[in-house]
Structures are given as structure tokens and as C-alpha cells.
Amino acid sequence: MAEESIKKKGRLAAAVLAGSALAFSSFAVVVPAALADEEATPAIATVKPEASSQDSSETPTAPDDETSVKDSGSAETGDLGEEVEPTEPVTEEPTSSETSAEPSPETQSRFQTQQDDGDDGDGGEDNTEPDDAELGELRFAVSPRSGPSGTQIDLSGSGFTPGGDIDVKIVTSDDPDATPINYDTFADDEGVLDDVMSVEGAPGLYHVTATDVDTGRYEVETFNITDVTMDINPETLSEEEFRDNGVTLTIRELEPNQVVDVAVSNRYNPIDELSGTATAGGDGVATYSIQGAEDLRDIYVGAYSVIVTESGSEVQLAEGSFDVTSENPQVSVHSPDANDDGSIPQGGTLHVTGNNATPNSDVTVDFGLEGVEAQIVESTSDGEYGAEITIPENAQPSEKTVTVTDDETGTVGTAEYTVAEAAEDVEPTLTADRTQITLDEFVGSDDGESGVGFLVEGLEPNTDFTYMATASGPVADLEATETTDADGTARFSVYGDEKASDPSVYLGRYSVTVVYKDEAGEPQELGPVHFRVVDEITEDIEIELESDEVYQGESLDVEIWNLTPEGNVEIEWNPTETLTADDDGEIDTDLPIADDADTGVQTLTVTDLTTERTASVEYTVLDASDQVVDPSLTIDPERIELDDFIGDPEDGAGVAHTVQGLEPGTEISYAVTGPEYVSDFESTAPVEEDGVASFVIYGYDVANPSVYLGEYNTVVTYVDEDGEAQTLSGSFTVVDGDDSTGGTGGSDDDRGSTGPVDLNGASGLAQTGANGIQFGMLAGGLLLAGGALLAFANRKRLFGRTA
């Protein structure tokens, strides 16, 4: 699987680098020349894992010298005495014989014959030419891999030219230039090699090369001609005898005091408990005992393979096998729903499999559960069988016994398993790994080390959800999607872009919310969960003012944190008021400044009445008569439901726009653009004596009101005191009841059949057109207004960090 650090990047924020095209709503504009030299804010990005590519190695050419051989030593050749991994998928390995799953036939072949199941033998490289691709992977194996001179070996393989000639050469590894032993054979119509030959020569390691004459492709295996012999006594025994007495190996013709490795495998896997080392005596004879100890739990019934190799080497010295027999059916139980301790929860699936039953006969499987009837299944021609059930929700948690009866012979086999109580449903939750983070830790890249990590739990597996992060400061909102895993969990993080020219814009409080749909398809929300980016983490009460200057009659915007969660807090400025902190221990409020408040430097004091901790900050009250209001545009609300957008403004419908700080008696012009099937709107409004102009944008009750869903952009143009045209811009969004913008609503035929709908009963902008530079500034102005957040998905290592 690809490393999690390999990610796919996608820009999602309302910001791009300077000089790049800016994307906004449903249209794209280019940064105006006036803005081209400005540094853009960081972009929002979502980073997700993707599979990594692997470079294929260069394919070697066939040897020119018929005595040349390829080097051996691949770790995936199936050499005896080493642990090998099959290339074909196998069922999950058992933690014990009671929970084992049946392996694939390829695994069985590997451990019974020690043949290569498809990997390049002993490092043999497949020198495939492109024209040979249809032949498939070239495979070649020999069995056994060791024996005295004159041993007959089986040659097997696939991927050869159908019906083509195969040249087999054997040459000693001690002298590659020696005259090889040649053997000519051929593949069948399927390109499969199946033949036997004898190997004769002096003791030593030999390379066996099989070359496809038509294509020149070849593979190499090894065979060790050895004088070492191994006796296995007994070669057949019952499971009771195997447990009580075991099997004795006698290995002869070793060097005095030579140490050898003994690897024992059954049909499914190597058995470490039975494997080990043996040391020869002065006469070159070593003995080794294999006994089915009680700690093996159930004894495997069937063939065992024994491989003897030089200690610490892959060179095989001897091999053999023995059989453990039983009259009883063999039983194993396993479950894909098993807990970590192997128990199976109520409602989980129980699989019962086994072998050693009478071939093609009825087998009765009693699951040992009250109220669950036994199943009668038919065994295969190999005596294998299988059955499965779902554990009842009301099954009593305890140890149970599966009883399998061979109806032909009446013999019985058993296996135990444990039923556990089903885990209680986990309520969906959203949690963060910290509530505060320093600016240095928050700002970074997608290296997995920066930002605040979030954990979503308790959702259904493979549930898509959207997470949104908003900041208290001039940072663009973040919105991205993620999907829960098979456990119904997902992880993501939020961090700031290290490319920001002024990282301090990231200081402040953030809110993160997750929206998903439940099993009934209804939208649900988790959060908001808050965190704060600070210069330094401290336990002292912290106070932050939006501005440390305020005019008489205005309000002092203040944020306070590090308070007792839900505790009472006394705030003294003028007058004194007691407020309650939220469950994060924070207060965000506007403190009114009286019209006749004393001007000059004042002090605001905060006291946590629970801990009696205090903190103070100074601010300056300015004389209201000195106040100069800069032109500004306020849009309220910035997010409005469709039902509230459509109707008569006198009844409260629509979105109010207020422009203040203008020259009384003048006039403004404004233009509004919206979704595809809403006509653009342009109009004017007078500036009143207080320097304020206002207007409302609303929709009409039309046949398909969903066309109004989406984002709208407003540009206000006014003339300043120097006679220069200036612009103000903003936006608002019309959403459905589920807070969705709903695309553009309906089919194209439904939306376009009667033409675009109007705003405020007129569509002047659709006929007159809008100034391109003006709208370029609209998009650019919004995009460059603040910082941006980045998201990093599936970062499991985030959790457990400390602030």
C-alpha cells in the first residue's frame, strides 16, 4: 500500500498565487493589472492518499553462453527453510487452529512440495520481451530441492510457449564454465511444463536453468546434491500419538558438530513452535524431535513437511514428510467480525470449516447455540466442508462448542469459540486533538506535522461527509470532503499555509463543523468544535480586542479565553457585568461604550469568579465628534434560506445591503450577479443625509424557485470626495432548507424553458452588460481579502499529540 505521506493535492480555497487565474463562483476572471503585483493569500488545499507507482526494473537478456546461469538468492523463491509469502491471495492467517481459515491451493502446494508458486525462483529474472506479454509470467520450479546423486526431480512451470521446446541445463555453482547437464523437454498446449529428470554429480549446489527456446526467456532454480540423509520415524501416526510421543528425525552424514535448521510446516503455514535447530555429534549424526505439544491446542491432521538447511543459509540439505491421521472430522471456526481477543460479538458471522470427513457424504454441524438448528452440509471429494450462521442478537455471551458429525461414520470433531456482547452503538462525535495551538505549529505544509487534528467517530462505514472550518479573522473558509473507513471513523486536520507572507493572520479562534447524511438520508451536523491559534500557550486569562480604539456610542469587540468552562465571569469596563463562559472556557462579546463615556485610555478587567484569576487590558475611547467613517458595504444576511429570499421586502424578504460613509446627497450604482438562470441586476440608490445608502436584493415567486439557489456577488460603485470612481464588493448565498446551494436546480430543460428569472423584478444588467474590470476587482477583492486554511485528510498519526 502506498505510504500515507504520498498525497494528491487540490486547490479548494478562494485564493490563488499572484498572476494565476482566479476562480470564483461559476465563472473565472483574471487578476486586474492593478492587483497583479499584490501577493496572494495562501490557497486552500485538500490532501488525500493515493497509490504510489513502482518503477519496473529493466528486463535482462538471455545468456549468450549456454553454460551461463543467473545468480540465485531471491528471498521469494520458495527455498526450503525460509519463510515465503505466496503471491496469490490467501485467507487470513489463524491465530490458532480454532480460528484458522482455509488457505488457497497455491499455499498448500508451496508447503507440501516447496515449489515456487509464481515468484522468480532464486532471484531468476524474467527477461520478457514485449511480444511475449501474452504468454504471461514465466514460472519454473523443481522438487525436491536436495538429495543424493541420481535423485529424480520434478520439473514444473508455466508461461512457456505452448507446445514449444524447453532447454533444461544443470551446472555446478562452483564452476559456471563446466560442461552442463542438458535435458530437452517441451511445454503442453497451455504452455505448462510437467516432466521429471535425474540429477547426477558430485556433492554441491547446482543451478537448474529452464529456457524457452522460442522466446529466449528463462528461469533458474537450485538443487543441492548432498550425502546428507534424513530418516523420519514414524512417517504416519495418529494425532494422539503425535501429541504423546511425536516424530523423531535422524539426520546423517553431517560434519561433526554441524548446526542445521529444521523447518516444519503443515498444509497451511510454517509452524514456528515445531521448528528449531539440531547439532550433529562427533559422528555427524543429529536427532530432532517433533511433538504436538498441548500449547498447539488442536493438532493439525494431515501432511507435515520437514526441511533441513545449513544453519543461517538457504541451502537445503534434506527434506521429508510425515502424516498425522485421525478418524474424526477436523473442525475450525473463524469470523470476519471477531474482536481483538478472538471472541465473536452477538450479530457477528460465524464460519465453520474443516476436512477429514468421508468424501461426498453428509456432515451435521451443530453450532452449540440455543435456538439455532444444526445444518447438514455435503463434503467435497476431498472430505472438506463448510457452514456459516449469524450469531443471534440474544445469544448468551459465553464459550460455545461446535460439534461436527460425519453422518457416514458417526465420528465427531469439535472446536470452541466465545460469544461476546455486541458493542454498544457509538454516538457520532467530532473531536479535536487540542484546543489551542501556537502559530508556529499551526502554519506548515502537508508533511503531516502541522495543524490541528480532528477525529470523526460513530458514523456508518464508507460515509461521505463535508467538514467546514471558519476563522474569526481574515482567513478564507475551508470546505472539503472525506469518507469514513470500515470502522466508521475518519481523520483530517486543518493548518495554515507556510507560504503566507503574514502568518499572523491565522491568529484567532476557529470553528469546525461536520455535515453528513444519516441512514434515512437526513442531513446531520457534528460540532462546532473550536480551537484557537495563539502566539504562546499559557494558562493565564487571555483578552483580545478587535481594536484598542473605540468611539463613544460604539461597541468594544472582545474575545476572552482560558476561563473556567461554563463558569461565571465578571467583566469591568464601564459599567460592570457578569457573563458566563461557554463550554470551551471562552467569551466572545461586544461591550457597549456609552455616548457620554470618558474619552482617553481606559482599563477593561476580567475576573474568573471560579478561580479568582484576573487579567486586564487597556483601550482608548475616542470622541464621537472626531469620528470619520470610511465607506463600507454591509450585507445581511450573508447566507439566507430560499423561502426567506423570495417575497416582498416589506414583509422581510431578501438580503439587505447597507453602504455607509458616503457623501450625503450623492448616488450609488450597484450590480448583482447570481447563478446561471438568474438575470443579472443593476440599479441605483440615493445617499441619505447620514451618508448611508441601502437596498434589498430579493427573488420573485417563480415556477421553479430553486433556480435562485447559489452564490451572488454585489459590486457598489460611488464617487469619492476627489471625484474618482470607487467600488465596494461583497457576496451572499441562497441555500435550501438543508443548507445546500442545490446546484442550479432541476434539469436544463426545466430551468431554461422560460428564460432566466429576475431579481427585484428587473434584469437591466443582462441587457447593458457589466464592466469587466469592475467584476475582476470584485473577484480579486474577495479572494485576496484574507488568509486561507488547508486541509490534510486521513492523518492517523495526528492524535495523541500534546499542545
Side-chain angles (χ1 to χ4, degrees):
M1 183 175 181
E3 285 293 323
E4 203 168 73
S5 62
I6 301 177
K7 308 292 179 181
K8 177 180 178 182
K9 300 179 180 179
R11 294 294 184 181
L12 300 179
V16 295
L17 297 177
S20 301
L22 295 175
F24 189 79
S25 187
S26 60
F27 58 89
V29 298
V30 177
V31 181
L35 299 176
D37 294 332
E38 296 184 18
E39 182 172 351
T41 56
I44 297 176
T46 292
V47 185
K48 296 179 181 289
E50 67 176 1
S52 64
S53 60
Q54 297 181 352
D55 295 333
S56 58
S57 58
E58 183 179 352
T59 304
T61 58
D64 296 328
D65 187 345
E66 66 178 7
T67 62
S68 298
V69 295
K70 294 184 296 179
D71 185 26
S72 63
S74 170
E76 299 182 352
T77 62
D79 288 351
L80 299 183
E82 68 182 68
E83 185 173 348
V84 291
E85 296 179 2
T87 56
E88 298 297 329
V90 285
T91 326
E92 64 182 52
E93 290 188 8
T95 56
S96 72
S97 58
E98 293 182 347
T99 58
S100 65
E102 294 293 334
S104 67
E106 290 82 355
T107 308
Q108 177 183 358
S109 173
R110 174 180 289 276
F111 289 114
Q112 285 182 340
T113 67
Q114 297 301 311
Q115 292 180 358
D116 187 345
D117 68 351
D119 294 337
D120 293 344
D122 280 283
E125 301 175 358
D126 179 3
N127 62 339
T128 308
E129 297 296 333
D131 293 341
D132 301 327
E134 67 274 10
L135 297 178
E137 181 181 3
L138 187 65
R139 301 181 177 185
F140 173 60
V142 300
S143 178
R145 299 284 295 281
S146 66
S149 177
T151 298
Q152 181 172 280
I153 61 173
D154 293 325
L155 307 175
S156 61
S158 62
F160 293 93
T161 301
D165 293 333
I166 301 173
D167 183 12
V168 178
K169 291 183 173 62
I170 302 178
V171 65
T172 175
S173 61
D174 295 334
D175 184 8
D177 295 329
T179 302
I181 301 172
N182 293 296
Y183 180 74
D184 295 329
T185 182
F186 58 89
D188 66 12
D189 292 341
E190 301 295 329
V192 173
L193 168 63
D194 184 10
D195 205 346
V196 295
M197 68 174 294
S198 294
V199 180
E200 297 183 357
L205 186 65
Y206 288 77
H207 291 285
V208 184
T209 303
T211 302
D212 187 321
V213 174
D214 289 342
T215 65
R217 301 195 303 168
Y218 64 97
E219 285 296 327
V220 180
E221 272 286 9
T222 59
F223 182 84
N224 188 33
I225 297 180
T226 175
D227 293 332
V228 176
T229 61
M230 178 174 63
D231 295 330
I232 300 178
N233 184 35
E235 293 185 346
T236 302
L237 69 167
S238 68
E239 56 182 329
E240 292 81 8
E241 293 172 333
F242 185 48
R243 179 179 287 109
D244 296 339
N245 303 314
V247 170
T248 299
L249 310 180
T250 303
I251 309 166
R252 297 184 174 87
E253 305 301 332
L254 298 173
E255 296 294 328
N257 303 316
Q258 181 178 358
V259 179
V260 294
D261 294 331
V262 179
V264 181
S265 306
N266 62 19
R267 176 182 178 183
Y268 303 121
N269 296 299
I271 307 175
D272 293 337
E273 298 93 330
L274 299 182
S275 302
T277 61
T279 303
D283 57 356
V285 177
T287 59
Y288 187 83
S289 177
I290 303 173
Q291 187 170 352
E294 289 292 342
D295 58 6
L296 285 178
R297 305 186 73 176
D298 289 351
I299 297 297
Y300 169 74
V301 171
Y304 287 74
S305 174
V306 180
I307 308 298
V308 178
T309 60
E310 293 179 356
S311 183
S313 169
E314 299 176 0
V315 177
Q316 181 176 311
L317 298 176
E319 71 171 273
S321 64
F322 62 91
D323 291 309
V324 175
T325 65
S326 175
E327 295 180 353
N328 302 318
Q330 300 301 295
V331 188
S332 66
V333 293
H334 45 96
S335 172
D337 306 314
N339 299 318
D340 292 340
D341 61 0
S343 61
I344 306 172
Q346 298 162 330
T349 300
L350 170 66
H351 294 286
V352 177
T353 58
N355 60 353
N356 208 45
T358 302
N360 302 315
S361 67
D362 287 342
V363 176
T364 300
V365 181
D366 187 334
F367 300 96
L369 291 167
E370 184 177 351
V372 177
E373 295 184 358
Q375 292 184 15
I376 299 177
V377 297
E378 185 176 351
S379 63
T380 67
S381 58
D382 294 327
E384 297 179 345
Y385 60 90
E388 71 173 64
I389 60 165
T390 299
I391 304 293
E393 299 286 352
N394 61 353
Q396 185 67 28
S398 62
E399 187 173 89
K400 312 293 182 183
T401 300
V402 171
T403 302
V404 175
T405 303
D406 186 327
D407 293 348
E408 183 73 19
T409 63
T411 54
V412 174
T414 61
E416 283 69 42
Y417 67 99
T418 300
V419 173
E421 290 187 1
E424 295 183 2
D425 291 337
V426 179
E427 288 295 325
T429 58
L430 170 66
T431 56
D433 67 353
R434 62 186 73 192
T435 57
Q436 294 188 58
I437 185 172
T438 64
L439 182 62
D440 290 342
E441 290 180 317
F442 183 70
V443 176
S445 62
D446 60 359
D447 58 4
E449 301 299 329
S450 306
V452 177
F454 288 85
L455 173 65
V456 177
E457 293 181 288
L459 301 186
E460 290 298 312
N462 304 314
T463 297
D464 296 329
F465 64 87
T466 300
Y467 56 95
M468 294 155 286
T470 59
S472 59
V475 178
D477 294 346
L478 164 69
E479 182 171 318
T481 59
E482 186 52 57
T483 303
T484 60
D485 59 20
D487 296 326
T489 65
R491 295 170 171 85
F492 62 89
S493 70
V494 177
Y495 63 100
D497 193 341
E498 63 184 355
K499 298 177 182 178
S501 59
D502 181 15
S504 66
V505 297
Y506 290 115
L507 293 170
R509 194 185 194 209
Y510 293 78
S511 297
V512 177
T513 305
V514 163
V515 176
Y516 69 98
K517 289 187 177 181
D518 59 21
E519 293 179 330
E522 296 295 325
Q524 303 294 338
E525 183 174 298
L526 301 177
V529 172
H530 305 287
F531 69 89
R532 184 176 291 276
V533 179
V534 296
D535 282 321
E536 181 182 358
I537 294 177
T538 175
E539 295 182 358
D540 297 334
I541 295 176
E542 295 287 332
I543 306 172
E544 182 177 290
L545 304 178
E546 182 178 26
S547 173
D548 58 4
E549 293 185 338
V550 61
Y551 285 95
Q552 295 169 321
E554 292 187 335
S555 295
L556 191 64
D557 188 348
V558 58
E559 291 185 39
I560 312 168
W561 65 94
N562 285 347
L563 302 169
T564 301
E566 301 181 354
N568 291 329
V569 179
E570 183 180 86
I571 302 178
E572 180 181 358
W573 76 107
N574 185 15
T576 298
E577 186 175 353
T578 299
L579 301 177
T580 301
D582 63 18
D583 54 6
D584 292 320
E586 301 192 6
I587 290 177
D588 185 354
T589 187
D590 292 331
L591 304 177
I593 304 299
D595 292 338
D596 59 353
D598 293 339
T599 59
V601 177
Q602 310 294 328
T603 300
L604 183 149
T605 301
V606 176
T607 302
D608 187 322
L609 299 180
T610 303
T611 64
E612 298 185 350
R613 293 180 300 161
T614 65
S616 298
V617 67
E618 292 184 342
Y619 64 98
T620 301
V621 176
L622 304 175
D623 194 314
S625 61
D626 298 332
Q627 184 175 6
V628 176
V629 179
D630 292 330
S632 63
L633 168 64
T634 302
I635 299 177
D636 184 35
E638 294 183 350
R639 198 171 186 88
I640 187 172
E641 291 193 8
L642 180 62
D643 290 344
D644 297 329
F645 182 69
I646 296 175
D648 191 336
E650 293 185 0
D651 296 329
V655 177
H657 290 62
T658 304
V659 185
Q660 60 182 352
L662 304 178
E663 185 70 23
T666 60
E667 188 178 69
I668 66 168
S669 63
Y670 59 92
V672 181
T673 61
E676 179 180 5
Y677 291 96
V678 177
S679 297
D680 299 335
F681 180 73
E682 185 179 72
S683 188
T684 61
V687 179
E688 305 297 338
E689 294 183 357
D690 57 359
V692 175
S694 61
F695 56 92
V696 176
I697 300 299
Y698 60 95
Y700 270 74
D701 190 4
V702 295
N704 182 17
S706 66
V707 296
Y708 283 116
L709 295 172
E711 188 170 14
Y712 293 77
N713 305 308
T714 302
V715 175
V716 174
T717 303
Y718 67 96
V719 177
D720 63 15
E721 59 185 9
D722 296 327
E724 299 290 335
Q726 304 292 339
T727 61
L728 301 170
S729 61
S731 64
F732 63 91
T733 304
V734 178
V735 299
D736 208 342
D738 62 357
D739 205 39
S740 167
T741 57
T744 53
S747 67
D748 287 342
D749 292 340
D750 293 338
R751 294 190 299 264
S753 59
T754 58
V757 298
D758 294 336
L759 293 170
N760 296 19
S763 56
L765 190 59
Q767 285 77 38
T768 63
N771 184 292
I773 294 297
Q774 183 182 82
F775 282 101
M777 294 181 66
L778 162 67
L782 290 178
L783 294 177
L784 300 175
L789 298 178
L790 299 101
F792 190 104
N794 287 343
R795 284 196 14 225
K796 298 184 179 180
R797 60 181 176 276
L798 286 171
F799 292 86
R801 299 184 305 190
T802 57

